[in-house]
Amino acid sequence: MKFFRPLALTLTVMLGMSSISHASLEELTYTKDVAPIINNNCVSCHRPDQVGPMSLMNYKEIRPWAKSIKRHVSEKTMPPWHATKYKHPFSNDRSLSEKEINTIVSWIESGMKKGDPKNLPEMPTFVDDDWKLGEPDMIVTLPEVTIPAGGPDVFEDLPAKLNLEED
């Protein structure tokens, strides 16, 4: 009996720390709970022809990667955010909240239910043109420079005409 008491206490404390109750664990679904998180934080990179090594645009694409997703969100390596945590938040911090991490992990651990397709959030829209961050205000064309494979660093002055109306 003495052996089981610390174990029961440990489990109670661990379960109590989770922000998702046991009752809601059974109700977690991809369509209602996980898709909004993935759409807001992952698919900008994890979609065809982007930097992410696999597409995570839908349930069918996410399911085979569940163990990897669980590990990476738990370790906070995905989505990548390399800035040091600071007392003032960054406006573009891509980190997942603890609640979002717990939701994804709990959904995976509870069997990855798909859910009702009517609950799917709208897929974000992406502009797939040459300018991922929007068209620039000015394009400056510089002369081509050939840098030798060996030798000292090369520091070239690259002249360019800028027809600016003001400083």
Side-chain angles (χ1 to χ4, degrees):
M1 189 65 140
K2 289 181 183 178
F3 171 74
F4 293 110
R5 189 172 292 153
L7 179 62
L9 179 61
T10 302
L11 287 173
T12 302
V13 170
M14 287 172 52
L15 291 173
M17 288 169 48
S18 172
S19 65
I20 300 173
S21 71
H22 178 69
S24 65
L25 278 179
E26 297 171 9
E27 299 168 9
L28 286 175
T29 65
Y30 170 75
T31 57
K32 180 172 51 83
D33 304 294
V34 176
I37 299 169
I38 299 293
N39 287 357
N40 289 334
N41 300 284
C42 308
V43 298
S44 59
C45 296
H46 288 277
R47 58 190 171 99
D49 301 321
Q50 293 303 311
V51 70
M54 78 293 265
S55 179
L56 301 176
M57 298 281 288
N58 57 53
Y59 178 79
K60 184 178 178 184
E61 292 177 345
I62 288 173
R63 202 166 158 74
W65 296 100
K67 284 183 183 180
S68 180
I69 291 169
K70 177 183 169 185
R71 186 178 90 238
H72 285 288
V73 300
S74 296
E75 293 172 354
K76 299 182 180 183
T77 56
M78 279 290 151
W81 180 254
H82 303 293
T84 303
K85 292 290 180 195
Y86 192 65
K87 59 185 170 185
H88 302 290
F90 288 95
S91 63
N92 58 348
D93 185 349
R94 297 184 304 182
S95 304
L96 297 179
S97 68
E98 287 301 318
K99 182 179 179 190
E100 291 170 324
I101 292 169
N102 289 339
T103 298
I104 292 171
V105 169
S106 298
W107 171 72
I108 292 169
E109 290 177 347
S110 66
M112 297 177 290
K113 293 178 183 157
K114 185 174 182 178
D116 188 341
K118 288 185 266 182
N119 292 331
L120 269 174
E122 208 172 295
M123 184 61 70
T125 56
F126 300 102
V127 177
D128 285 329
D129 59 12
D130 291 339
W131 303 107
K132 301 294 182 210
L133 301 176
E135 189 167 343
D137 296 329
M138 175 185 285
I139 298 171
V140 178
T141 304
L142 300 174
E144 189 172 314
V145 175
T146 303
I147 300 175
D153 289 339
V154 175
F155 298 95
E156 294 276 340
D157 284 329
L158 301 175
K161 290 191 181 213
L162 304 177
N163 295 319
L164 301 174
E165 294 176 11
E166 60 186 275
D167 287 342

